[in-house]
Amino acid sequence: MRYVQEFRDPKAAQGVLRAIEAVCTEIGCTADDPLRIMEICGGHTHAIFRYGLDKLVPAGIEFIHGPGCPVCVLPMARVDDCVEIAEQPGVIFCTFGDAMRVPGTRKSLLQAKADGADIRMVYSPLDALELARRNPDREVVFFGLGFETTTPSTALTLQQAKREEIGNFSVFCNHITVPPPIRALLEDPHMILDGFVGPGHVSMVTGIHCYDFVADEFGKPIVVAGFEPLDLLQSVLMVLRQIAEGRAEVENQYARVVPEHGNPVSLAAIADVYEPRPSFEWRGLGEIDASGLRIREGYRAWDTEAKFGIGYGARPKVAEPEGCACGAVMTGRMKPVACPQFGRGCTPDTPLGALMVSSEGACAAYWTYGGARAVAAAE
Amino acid sequence: MNALTPKPSRHPSRLRGDRVTLAHGGGGKAMRDLIDEVFTSVFEPAGTEDQARLMHSALQAPGAQLAFTTDSFVVTPVEFPGGDIGKLAVCGTVNDLAVGGAQPLWLSAAFIIEEGCEITLLRRVVASMAREAANAGVRIVTGDTKVVEKGSCDTLFITTSGVGVIPAGRDMAAANIRPGDAVLVNGVLGDHGATILAARGDLALSSPIESDCQSLNALIEAVLAAAPDARACRDATRGGLASALNEMAAEAGVTVTLEDADLPIRDEVRGMCELLGLDPLYLANEGTLVMFVPEKQAEAALAAMRARPEGQGAAIIGYAAAAGPIPVVCRTAFGGTRIVDMLVGEQLPRIC
């Protein structure tokens, strides 16, 4: 358990919390005029609530929950595409578990499975490739989804499929990248952010220099963070120190896992298999330039879009449900509990908006770890 | 007379082939042979009556209550480290009776078998049921067999019903829970759920964890002897400890505060949960119970649990308090608190 227990040590946490308080006093941030720090990654949002860190830090720090849950930001039209592919005869549709419940216009993948579609929950794209090997008479589609964390494994699987010439396998590519939405948020005049806690898992692949623009162009500190409670507290302290000292830099708190220049094998696989799409839709945020990846020409035979004739953007965009405030929550303009649908029309049982769908969405985290009940109690 | 362990037959098997076919469910000779050789020779060798006729002196004691329960068991794979569907079916029903304060006596077992199921597998499962019934001191006295077409069920489903007696004066119910009561568990949490996840094979995880599948009636009797005022008990099966506690707290009208640091969870289970984005408090258990005991008897109850093999990992994990807005909360080692809510749907492994 090295690398875990020492990052959950309550005594060490107390020390970091005292240091955070001291820097907050030095900066002069208060509950009325808080520093707004965005954690980009859904895993961080989840950890903040799981360990009650939001209640432990001084009132002068406000966590803004960013768009870093790939399941949450998946546009509804793409879910509709998935359901349509999965319902075609002869198809075995493979997906990660947490994408099963995302609502489409007609139904979620979970509902499509109940209606008879052959949808399998897998833990790795290699499992889907193995299914294709074992079922040569079936068409196996893997739902490629996620940030740079999962993108390399799909790329390596596609390379393997090409090497072995497995013709009944393809990837429905919905991979997205982290830096473009950060830029979009920073360019949004409504956004007021003082610093970022950067995504640890993504940065294992990309390294830390893809965030240079955050510091250089926008003058905001960003600290790449691990997922244990002490990692997060230390990262917050590092952001605060930069602010107190008038610095804006990219720092790496998660250096035990994140190499400065990323993972060259993964980066090479990504470059070989994918190219950026001109634009990709993010649920709650809209179209963002060069934020999505598509499969290159050389892998066309394994591209579900080519194989099934599904063009990106061919399906009309689906408007968010009435009253859904996911966009405002993701840009820090509204707290989940302030959304008129939170806990009323929108619950994890019946998710209406994106952020209630996956356990790592901000609204689901609020719901799971206290928000909904606290609201009900206050009412 | 109930033969609780399978005996090797002196006669050659009358069963043709090594797999169950639809003929074995057709009501004719093939079915008779299957029932005789695989089931009744193990559970209840004599007689062909379609009902069990039972006498028990405890039933006639003034104030005694009859307890009756039923449950169906479906699990993939049907054999896993630490158990199989048959052991699960006996333990599950024995425990359903025992957590209500009943002493389990008799079980029924109904089998839905998929065409093509291996007869040797069926024999292993039935032998395992017989062994667990002997361990728990219950008898399997009646049953049923159906064979369904390939694809209509997943290898084998078992439904067990159970009858037991609650002795006069014993009253175990969530409504009895009072503020101040200690919350105990008899062992580590999440082992069964983690074992099944690993055993499905699609995770490519090799895990040393075994299911905690076990009968708890003897443990509960031992605890009740040491802590006679124990209020209520549930087995933390599907939905895990979190779901069991939420149900009990809501029924009793109390708030339960758990101490994160006191929750007995194996490092391996924690690790697997971290990897998959699951919460061990929601993982299924098949041999773990949660019990509310008045604070004065809590240490005695804990000692009684730890004195039994089924209670080696027992711990006091929290206390009940007057009702607040939230039924179950957990205090983290950092001094923060988090809500432990009911599970929504099924826990689904996350993407990254």
Side-chain angles (χ1 to χ4, degrees), chain A residues 175-340:
Chain A
H175 285 295
I176 45 181
T177 61
V178 158
I182 302 180
R183 176 178 286 280
L185 289 170
L186 283 165
E187 284 173 348
D188 181 344
H190 300 293
M191 285 300 301
I192 306 159
L193 292 172
D194 297 295
F196 291 89
V197 172
H201 290 153
V202 163
S203 311
M204 278 160 55
V205 174
T206 62
I208 64 168
H209 290 297
C210 60
Y211 313 116
D212 284 347
F213 71 95
V214 176
D216 299 343
E217 288 180 44
F218 294 93
K220 307 288 182 195
I222 178 164
V223 176
V224 172
F227 292 82
E228 296 304 328
L230 207 50
D231 285 326
L232 279 160
L233 291 177
Q234 273 171 351
S235 302
V236 169
L237 178 60
M238 288 164 77
V239 170
L240 293 181
R241 281 199 174 129
Q242 287 198 42
I243 294 171
E245 294 163 13
R247 289 185 290 125
E249 292 167 16
V250 183
E251 290 182 319
N252 188 4
Q253 183 275 338
Y254 204 27
R256 69 184 188 278
V257 170
V258 173
E260 184 183 346
H261 296 286
N263 179 327
V265 176
S266 296
L267 290 170
I270 290 174
D272 176 44
V273 172
Y274 313 103
E275 61 188 359
R277 294 177 193 268
S279 168
F280 197 72
E281 186 193 349
W282 292 56
R283 201 165 177 165
L285 293 178
E287 290 281 339
I288 299 177
D289 290 350
S291 63
L293 298 174
R294 67 184 173 203
I295 294 168
R296 285 188 190 276
E297 186 66 31
Y299 289 88
R300 198 176 164 78
W302 294 273
D303 181 356
T304 305
E305 287 183 26
K307 215 169 195 177
F308 287 75
I310 295 167
Y312 171 74
R315 194 183 287 276
K317 280 200 172 52
V318 183
E320 289 298 315
E322 178 103 13
C324 185
C326 283
V329 173
M330 245 186 292
T331 48
R333 281 173 283 154
M334 188 187 278
K335 287 284 171 205
V337 286
C339 172

Side-chain angles (χ1 to χ4, degrees), chain B residues 307-328:
Chain B
R308 299 243 0 141
E310 312 93 303
Q312 298 289 299
I316 296 173
I317 57 168
Y319 287 89
I326 298 151
V328 186

Side-chain angles (χ1 to χ4, degrees), chain B residues 119-172:
Chain B
I119 288 173
T120 51
L121 169 72
L122 211 52
R123 287 187 194 276
R124 287 199 300 276
V125 167
V126 168
S128 166
M129 291 181 82
R131 264 196 309 276
E132 191 54 34
N135 283 342
V138 296
R139 295 171 63 199
I140 299 169
V141 291
T142 185
D144 182 47
T145 308
K146 294 283 184 294
V147 179
V148 295
E149 281 182 37
K150 183 116 193 133
S152 299
C153 86
D154 190 0
T155 313
L156 179 62
F157 297 164
I158 302 177
T159 298
T160 42
S161 299
V163 172
V165 175
I166 302 172
R170 189 178 284 183
D171 177 23
M172 302 267 285

Side-chain angles (χ1 to χ4, degrees), chain A residues 8 50 98 360 370 373, chain B residues 274 334 338-339 341 350-351:
Chain A
R8 290 181 184 171
R50 183 174 168 196
D98 51 358
E360 294 185 359
R373 298 284 179 84
Chain B
E274 295 280 334
F334 293 86
R338 65 178 173 102
I339 288 188
D341 209 345
R350 70 172 177 222
I351 186 169

Side-chain angles (χ1 to χ4, degrees), chain B residues 198-257:
Chain B
R200 282 187 184 155
D202 34 3
L203 270 177
L205 287 176
S206 65
S207 154
I209 311 163
E210 287 197 352
S211 169
D212 61 349
C213 181
Q214 58 185 344
S215 296
L216 296 169
N217 49 332
L219 174 107
I220 292 173
E221 288 300 325
V223 175
L224 287 174
D229 298 327
R231 314 274 196 199
C233 188
R234 291 269 166 97
D235 50 347
T237 52
R238 206 168 27 158
L241 177 75
S243 302
L245 278 177
N246 267 284
E247 282 175 17
M248 296 177 91
E251 219 161 294
V254 296
T255 284
V256 174
T257 303

